[in-house]
Amino acid sequence: MIAFFVHPAAGSYDFRKGLDGGYAMEWLHMYVLPNYDTSKIEQVNSAQSYSVRYEIGGTLAMAPGDTKVVGSEYGGEFHIINENDIFHMLLVNDGRITGAYTNNDEVTVDSINIQGMDREGIHEVYGEPVGTVDKGEKRLIVENDEYDVFEIDDIYVFFFYDLHKADEVNGLLIVEQSEMENGELYNHPPAADNEEMKFQLVNATRIQYGAGALDHHDGAADAAGRHSEDMADNDYFSHDSPDGGTLKDRMEEQGVRFKLAGENIAMGHTSPIFSHHSLLNSEEHRVNTLNDAYTHLGIGVDYNSEDVPYYTENYIKK
């Protein structure tokens, strides 16, 4: 231990500058906390083709006119961009790009791209994933078959896998660690923002997998919202309410006419991104998400007294 610390110090100490705070941090990052080796990432990225590129720390140029801005579980806001069916969401804080999410291999962020990648390929390039991430004062366990997390210098990189397609990468989330410094596990935005994000995620995934995008349906959304609220207020998690109410009952109460209907529910995920990928990897929920018979979708989100989110997706064929 003594040799490990003393030898680098003796070899690197600058007697002209002295061991001030700035130099001490520089020394720590050089010898004790070395930067992540990005050469493999850049090598893979150079062989990939893409049309949209961003850098973490850069500024957001003029976005397309139909860009939607929603709150997030992080410090910044997500700008949802879906130009030419190239879906991505940029996390922006005071005009600065601090993160991004995409399911499209036309998008590259800091030379990180999901084109042609699967779990095995990710591990070859990025090494071993981390088992925890820091969020505020909490250290969260993130060991999960559905995604891996890598710590690259000052950012967290999440790769989401499709467990039903040989662990292909079908989503990428990049977040600056500074965006996760809030002290709450659920730093949630208004429910309407999460509903908008989830609606966009579902349609982007349907396009990704060859199904048609769905139109928004106000009645289905109202029924979904009422069910999320009921689950949150009455502390249960089920498609059937404690009083025996079903999806059919809720639809009829809102005057929704339909030929076919399906419902996905989730709870506890810190954002629609994690909820969405979890549902997609569940066989019975995936059927609804990717069913090309459906024509419309309504999303409802609500929180319980401890800020835990409940998500309901109502799919219908009119």
Side-chain angles (χ1 to χ4, degrees):
M1 178 69 74
I2 293 174
F4 175 81
F5 283 105
V6 171
H7 181 269
S12 65
Y13 181 72
D14 188 329
F15 290 93
R16 292 171 299 177
K17 296 174 67 175
L19 193 59
D20 59 18
Y23 189 73
M25 287 305 300
E26 180 183 338
W27 178 84
L28 280 172
H29 282 284
M30 185 176 296
Y31 293 99
V32 181
L33 304 172
N35 290 335
Y36 190 94
D37 181 5
T38 60
S39 58
K40 285 186 177 181
I41 301 174
E42 292 164 357
Q43 182 179 1
V44 170
N45 185 251
S46 66
Q48 296 171 323
S49 60
Y50 47 87
S51 59
V52 179
R53 178 170 185 162
Y54 298 100
E55 297 293 333
I56 299 297
T59 55
L60 177 62
M62 186 64 69
D66 62 348
T67 297
K68 296 179 173 64
V69 180
V70 297
S72 76
E73 66 168 303
Y74 308 112
E77 296 179 312
F78 272 119
H79 292 234
I80 303 175
I81 303 171
N82 196 8
E83 192 174 26
N84 301 320
D85 285 339
I86 301 176
F87 177 80
H88 53 292
M89 305 192 302
L90 295 180
L91 188 63
V92 179
N93 199 330
D94 288 334
R96 182 174 170 275
I97 299 173
T98 55
Y101 170 86
T102 188
N103 67 344
N104 197 297
D105 58 18
E106 288 289 332
V107 179
T108 286
V109 182
D110 276 7
S111 297
I112 300 172
N113 186 292
I114 65 174
Q115 185 181 115
M117 302 299 289
D118 59 14
R119 190 191 303 269
E120 182 178 355
I122 291 296
H123 287 191
E124 288 177 359
V125 175
Y126 294 86
E128 285 297 314
V130 299
T132 62
V133 299
D134 293 329
K135 190 171 185 184
E137 299 177 353
K138 300 176 177 64
R139 176 155 291 181
L140 307 180
I141 297 174
V142 294
E143 295 176 344
N144 193 310
D145 286 343
E146 297 176 353
Y147 60 86
D148 281 325
V149 188
F150 298 86
E151 187 174 355
I152 302 178
D153 297 334
D154 60 350
I155 65 174
Y156 287 122
V157 181
F158 296 74
F159 292 101
F160 296 90
Y161 303 115
D162 187 338
L163 303 184
H164 301 280
K165 293 189 68 176
D167 289 350
E168 291 180 3
V169 179
N170 63 353
L172 166 68
L173 172 65
I174 298 177
V175 182
E176 264 191 5
Q177 291 176 352
S178 61
E179 284 287 318
M180 301 179 67
E181 291 177 353
N182 72 81
E184 302 298 327
L185 177 59
Y186 298 111
N187 181 30
H188 59 263
D193 286 12
N194 272 350
E195 291 165 359
E196 177 65 33
M197 187 191 298
K198 210 169 204 320
F199 184 85
Q200 298 287 338
L201 285 165
V202 169
N203 271 341
T205 296
R206 286 176 64 88
I207 292 171
Q208 178 186 19
Y209 283 80
L214 301 172
D215 293 328
H216 181 267
H217 193 280
D218 289 339
D222 288 342
R226 287 174 180 270
H227 190 49
S228 287
E229 181 181 11
D230 189 40
M231 289 190 292
D233 289 348
N234 294 295
D235 192 26
Y236 74 95
F237 182 68
S238 173
H239 292 284
D240 297 337
S241 63
D243 63 5
T246 65
L247 171 61
K248 181 176 181 293
D249 297 327
R250 293 188 288 274
M251 289 293 194
E252 290 178 346
E253 287 174 4
Q254 299 303 313
V256 179
R257 296 180 177 274
F258 59 92
K259 298 177 181 177
L260 179 69
E263 182 176 74
N264 288 347
I265 58 174
M267 66 166 288
H269 302 276
T270 57
S271 83
I273 294 172
F274 294 95
S275 167
H276 173 68
H277 280 279
S278 178
L279 289 170
L280 190 62
N281 275 320
S282 168
E283 189 70 53
E284 60 269 26
H285 298 99
R286 182 187 185 94
V287 170
N288 284 330
T289 303
L290 301 180
N291 190 338
D292 59 9
Y294 290 127
T295 58
H296 292 74
L297 171 65
I299 304 290
V301 176
D302 200 51
Y303 304 95
N304 70 9
S305 59
E306 296 180 346
D307 295 335
V308 176
Y310 287 74
Y311 307 89
T312 302
E313 304 170 353
N314 283 348
Y315 298 80
I316 63 170
K317 175 183 179 180
K318 292 199 71 177

